[in-house]
Amino acid sequence: MKARFYFDIISPFAYFYVKLRHRLEPRLQIEPVPVLLGGLLRGAHNQGPGEIPAKRAYTYQTCVWQAAKLGIPFRFPEHHPFITVAAQRLLVQERADWAMIERAFEFVWVLGKDPNLHWSDFCAHLHLDPTTPRPESAQTKADLIANTQEALDRGAFGVPTLALGDRIFWGVDAIDWVIDYLNQPQMFDQVSYRAAASVPNGLPPTPA
C-alpha cells in the first residue's frame, strides 16, 4: 500500500517519526512530502506548541524524555521555532529521498543547527554543493505551496501526518494506530468509531 508522509524539519516529532518509520515499511510504501508547517497551521486554524508559552516548555521537555526513551540522538537547535521555508524548498527542489531527509533532520535535531544560520553547512550535510543558493524559483515555491495545500485537503492539521487512503494519522504516537488499522481495515466502520466522529459540539458558535 502507498502512503504520503507530510513533514517539516521544524518538528522534533517528525524527526522521531522518520527514525521509527522502519516499523511501517514492511507494510507501506511511504512517500515523503515536504510541507510548510506554518502554512498548514494557518490553513487549519491551528497553533503550534511553540506559539503557546505554557505548552512550549512542556512539549520541549517531552521531546527530551521521548528521545531518551527511544534511544535516539537528540539536541535542540540554537533556537526554536525558526523559519524553515528555504530548507523545505530545497528538499522539494532536490526531490529529496529518505537518505537526504534523514540528513536534513539530523542537521537540526542531532547537530542542533538552524539551516538559515548555517546554510552552506546545511547544503554540505545534504551532500550538495555548499554554494547551493536558497531556492527562489517560481516552480519550487509553487510546489511547496501545493504540497501544503494537498495536506490540508486531506485533513492534516499538523506534522508529522501520514495519509493512508482516505485516512490521516497525526503524530509519532500514531504509528501503533496505523499498524492496527492495517490489521483491521474496517476499524472506522465500527459503531464506536462512527459515534466518536459525530459527537455534537456543546460550545456556542465562534462570533464571525
Side-chain angles (χ1 to χ4, degrees), residues 91-121:
L91 295 175
V92 170
Q93 174 182 279
E94 299 299 321
R95 294 179 171 81
D97 59 11
W98 278 115
M100 180 178 284
I101 289 165
E102 284 214 42
R103 290 193 292 270
F105 273 106
E106 288 168 357
F107 189 82
V108 176
W109 296 108
V110 178
L111 299 183
K113 294 184 177 181
D114 173 354
N116 298 298
L117 301 180
H118 310 278
W119 185 255
S120 295
D121 292 341

Side-chain angles (χ1 to χ4, degrees), residues 124-160:
H125 196 74
L126 300 188
H127 297 175
L128 300 174
D129 189 321
T131 64
T132 301
R134 298 168 193 260
E136 292 292 345
S137 76
Q139 185 61 60
T140 299
K141 292 178 180 179
D143 287 346
L144 182 57
I145 291 171
N147 286 352
T148 306
Q149 186 61 52
E150 176 192 308
L152 279 167
D153 291 344
R154 296 191 74 164
F157 47 83
V159 296

Side-chain angles (χ1 to χ4, degrees), residues 4-190:
R4 304 269 281 175
F5 176 72
Y6 301 109
F7 73 91
D8 188 323
I9 61 170
I10 195 70
S11 168
F13 298 107
Y15 163 63
F16 297 154
Y17 204 116
V18 167
K19 288 295 189 182
L20 296 174
R21 72 183 191 280
H22 65 274
R23 296 186 59 206
L24 298 174
E25 287 178 331
R27 306 283 296 275
L28 294 175
Q29 180 182 336
I30 306 173
E31 181 177 359
V33 183
V35 300
L36 196 60
L37 179 58
L40 191 60
L41 293 175
R42 286 190 297 273
H45 307 290
N46 196 9
Q47 281 187 303
E51 301 175 77
I52 305 169
K55 191 175 183 179
R56 186 170 186 259
Y58 180 86
T59 301
Y60 290 179
Q61 289 174 338
T62 299
C63 292
V64 173
W65 170 81
Q66 192 162 22
K69 195 78 172 175
L70 295 170
I72 293 175
F74 184 78
R75 174 183 176 185
F76 267 94
E78 51 252 80
H79 49 225
H80 191 274
F82 56 87
I83 296 171
T84 61
V85 176
Q88 292 296 101
R89 285 178 182 168
L90 184 62
L91 295 175
V92 170
Q93 174 182 279
E94 299 299 321
R95 294 179 171 81
D97 59 11
W98 278 115
M100 180 178 284
I101 289 165
E102 284 214 42
R103 290 193 292 270
F105 273 106
E106 288 168 357
F107 189 82
V108 176
W109 296 108
V110 178
L111 299 183
K113 294 184 177 181
D114 173 354
N116 298 298
L117 301 180
H118 310 278
W119 185 255
S120 295
D121 292 341
F122 179 61
C123 293
H125 196 74
L126 300 188
H127 297 175
L128 300 174
D129 189 321
T131 64
T132 301
R134 298 168 193 260
E136 292 292 345
S137 76
Q139 185 61 60
T140 299
K141 292 178 180 179
D143 287 346
L144 182 57
I145 291 171
N147 286 352
T148 306
Q149 186 61 52
E150 176 192 308
L152 279 167
D153 291 344
R154 296 191 74 164
F157 47 83
V159 296
T161 292
L162 187 81
L164 179 57
D166 60 353
R167 299 291 173 187
I168 62 163
F169 297 86
W170 170 67
V172 65
D173 53 340
I175 290 177
D176 286 328
W177 194 3
V178 174
I179 293 171
D180 285 348
Y181 174 64
L182 291 171
N183 291 333
Q184 306 172 58
Q186 307 306 315
M187 173 185 289
F188 290 95
D189 294 333
Q190 297 175 21

